[in-house]
Every structure is written in C-alpha cells, then in structure tokens.
Amino acid sequence: GDPVEIISFTALDLITGAIPYGALEPGDDSGTLNASTTIYSVGNTGIDQEVIGESMCTTFSVLDECNPSATSTVPENQQKFASTSLSYGSILSTVLSSTTQNEVELDVNKSTSTSTPSQGVTYWGIAVPITITLAGSYEGLNTFYAVVAEVGDW
C-alpha cells in the first residue's frame, strides 16, 4: 500500500495538580528543588516542557491575579525549576517567568502504550521574600506546555 503521512500531535497530561512546596517562613527557601510535578506524553511525539507562571498570594484566582505587594505576594521569579533536584541557589535551575515560556529539557519519549505512558518529572523550589508578613496558603498558576522534543526522543 501507499505510505500514510501522520500529522504530529504534541500533547501532555499534567498528573500533579499542585506543586507541593510545603510550609516556609519569610526569608526561607526550599533548600533544594524537592517538590515535583509529573507529565505524561499523550501525543504521538517525544516532548519537552515549557512553563510560564504567575505570582502567588492568598487571594489568587484565575480571573483575579495577585496585585504586587511586598508583604503579601510571592513573585513568580521566586520559583525555580529543573529536570533534576538541584540546590535552590544553583545556576543550572531556571527562574519562572510571567512573560516568557522557559523550557525544561525532559526528553520524554513518545508513548507507545496507553496503559504505561512515557513520563517526565520537573523539580521545583521556592523562596519566600523576607518582607512577607501575611500568613496563609499562597496560590498562583503555572501553565505547562508540551513542545516537540529532539528526534532522538521519538
């Protein structure tokens, strides 16, 4: 028969709904990138991941993002991520941006089985500014994008 051309479909499924940073005091950081999120490759390509995110506050909602405040907002650039668990201060980690999608090189192979999809893990860390005075649970929104990986990951 004639060869069939297949259109690539790059997609991920985010398995971890919240990044589990835990409790930190103002002026502290997580020490290492020890919180993690997991994605599955659910398209027909190998994937890497790009991330963009927002500041965190106690009143965050998707339609009402955090107002900048030194005492009650953790800026997005206090979150860092990498494909391995590094020290929070490592120059090899990537700083989260609210304006630029940044890639984490996960090299997730194309899934060949729906019962055991290929997966990738991103490690996260955070620092709480020393100026924070409002106690509570801080929330924000990070958005994950699938990007086509290098051909070797297909």
Side-chain angles (χ1 to χ4, degrees), residues 55-112:
S55 296
M56 299 170 69
C57 60
T58 60
T59 59
F60 179 86
S61 72
V62 174
L63 300 175
D64 185 20
E65 296 173 3
C66 304
N67 292 319
S69 166
T71 59
S72 62
T73 301
V74 177
E76 73 282 347
N77 62 11
Q78 297 301 294
Q79 295 181 73
K80 296 182 178 182
F81 59 93
S83 60
T84 59
S85 183
L86 304 168
S87 161
Y88 178 82
S90 173
I91 61 169
L92 300 176
S93 62
T94 302
V95 174
L96 185 68
S97 170
S98 64
T99 57
T100 303
Q101 291 175 210
N102 286 306
E103 183 172 356
V104 57
E105 190 75 28
L106 291 183
D107 296 331
V108 181
N109 291 326
K110 175 181 70 172
S111 291
T112 57

Side-chain angles (χ1 to χ4, degrees), residues 1-152:
D2 294 331
V4 176
E5 184 173 335
I6 297 176
I7 297 171
S8 64
F9 176 62
T10 306
L12 64 79
D13 186 5
L14 180 63
I15 303 307
T16 314
I19 301 171
Y21 286 126
L24 291 169
E25 295 292 324
D28 287 350
D29 66 53
S30 54
T32 58
L33 307 185
N34 57 8
S36 65
T37 54
T38 301
I39 61 165
Y40 288 158
S41 176
V42 295
N44 63 4
T45 70
I47 60 173
D48 289 322
Q49 172 186 283
E50 289 184 349
V51 183
I52 195 168
E54 302 300 329
S55 296
M56 299 170 69
C57 60
T58 60
T59 59
F60 179 86
S61 72
V62 174
L63 300 175
D64 185 20
E65 296 173 3
C66 304
N67 292 319
S69 166
T71 59
S72 62
T73 301
V74 177
E76 73 282 347
N77 62 11
Q78 297 301 294
Q79 295 181 73
K80 296 182 178 182
F81 59 93
S83 60
T84 59
S85 183
L86 304 168
S87 161
Y88 178 82
S90 173
I91 61 169
L92 300 176
S93 62
T94 302
V95 174
L96 185 68
S97 170
S98 64
T99 57
T100 303
Q101 291 175 210
N102 286 306
E103 183 172 356
V104 57
E105 190 75 28
L106 291 183
D107 296 331
V108 181
N109 291 326
K110 175 181 70 172
S111 291
T112 57
S113 164
T114 56
S115 61
T116 55
S118 298
Q119 65 180 353
V121 176
T122 302
Y123 295 88
W124 295 84
I126 193 168
V128 178
I130 199 159
T131 57
I132 295 293
T133 58
L134 180 64
S137 294
Y138 282 67
E139 294 183 25
L141 178 67
N142 294 350
T143 305
F144 295 68
Y145 296 92
V147 292
V148 177
E150 297 73 20
V151 173

